[in-house]
Amino acid sequence: LYSSLLSPLPVARWFVQQIVQDGDHVVDCTAGNGHDTVFLAGLVGEAGTVYAFDVQRSAIEETQKRVLKHGYANRVQCILDTHLHVGMYVPKQIRAAMFNLGYMPGGDHQITTLAEETSNALQKVLNLLLPGGITTMVVYPGHPEGKREEEVLNSFVQTLDKKKFAVMVGTFLKASADSPKLIAIQKGICEMNETGVHK
Ligand SMILES: C[S@@+](CC[C@H](N)C(=O)[O-])C[C@H]1O[C@@H](n2cnc3c(N)ncnc32)[C@H](O)[C@@H]1O
């Protein structure tokens, strides 16, 4: 069953849409076929920038094609490198980052995001986030590395300072326990105390 609303990716996009404004800088950490890059490019407008990362040349080419088709070439930088190096390419603070993990649909299933690399990249992305900015991750535990990735990320988000970050780990009741999960992390605008009240 696919729900166009109650599935991780549509919910991730909805969150991002609430927060990203015209002129913002945002990151697509896993460009793949470029669908999320184009989605983000639509949100940031002509004055904004999307930095889109992928380790596969074919993914970057596919993303560039899709970006061109939508007339967004001036606002997207496609980067053939791991998202772990995000800090080397993104000069400013960002309003949002999206990770759509796993392997490229229709591509080589052996080339997949890797648990430790993903959690290290997540830390780097969180350092770049503006107050109020958001990071979303869609996690696919239906393959072995994805299962490990889910476990590593679940442990990592537990270590985040909850006075500084609001963290949601979402699951959707589906036929399979291995169905995709959503992690969303928003950086606080000001610090919260233990009961969630602004200090
Ligand atoms: C599920 S696909 C992304 C789908 C994409 N967001 C879209 O809208 O079409 C995951 C992508 O992550 C890429 N990837 C794997 N490891 C990566 C890394 N360390 N840094 C950046 N991208 C990576 C894969 O090559 C693959 O294209």
Side-chain angles (χ1 to χ4, degrees):
L1 169 76
Y2 175 76
S3 158
S4 61
L5 177 63
L6 291 181
S7 298
L9 186 57
V11 175
R13 285 186 172 189
W14 189 83
F15 283 157
V16 168
Q17 202 167 2
Q18 307 313 302
I19 286 169
V20 172
Q21 301 161 20
D22 231 37
D24 276 347
H25 301 278
V26 302
V27 180
D28 183 350
C29 297
T30 52
N33 289 310
H35 297 284
D36 296 321
T37 299
V38 164
F39 164 74
L40 288 167
L43 298 181
V44 298
E46 276 178 30
T49 311
V50 182
Y51 299 88
F53 288 82
D54 207 291
V55 288
Q56 294 192 70
R57 188 172 296 279
S58 56
I60 290 295
E61 286 170 358
E62 204 50 48
T63 297
Q64 278 168 333
K65 260 197 251 164
R66 202 172 297 279
V67 163
L68 267 177
K69 202 172 111 196
H70 284 79
Y72 290 152
N74 291 342
R75 56 181 95 164
V76 177
Q77 287 191 27
C78 291
I79 299 158
L80 178 60
D81 199 351
T82 167
H83 41 224
L84 195 54
H85 294 156
V86 60
M88 286 168 47
Y89 299 91
V90 179
K92 308 195 173 77
Q93 280 197 291
I94 57 172
R95 189 86 64 188
M98 297 183 79
F99 290 81
N100 190 349
L101 300 171
Y103 45 78
M104 191 166 156
D108 182 348
H109 290 197
Q110 300 307 312
I111 307 175
T112 182
T113 52
L114 302 170
E116 280 75 19
E117 190 173 12
T118 305
S119 66
N120 288 338
L122 173 59
Q123 180 61 71
K124 291 187 194 293
V125 160
L126 294 179
N127 294 342
L128 286 171
L129 266 193
L130 286 162
I134 190 163
T135 298
T136 62
M137 307 186 107
V138 179
V139 191
Y140 297 87
H143 64 113
E145 184 59 22
K147 183 87 203 145
R148 235 172 56 71
E149 199 166 38
E150 180 187 33
E151 288 161 9
V152 168
L153 290 171
N154 279 343
S155 309
F156 175 80
V157 296
Q158 293 299 333
T159 67
L160 289 172
D161 183 347
K162 307 302 181 300
K163 290 181 191 139
K164 297 198 167 112
F165 294 98
V167 182
M168 194 198 103
V169 180
T171 190
F172 298 81
L173 299 183
K174 291 263 167 87
S176 155
D178 287 342
S179 61
K181 307 288 181 325
L182 172 66
I183 298 175
I185 304 168
Q186 187 180 22
K187 192 179 258 188
I189 294 163
C190 47
E191 279 202 15
M192 306 269 195
N193 69 18
E194 287 67 23
T195 53
V197 175
H198 293 158
K199 277 212 264 187

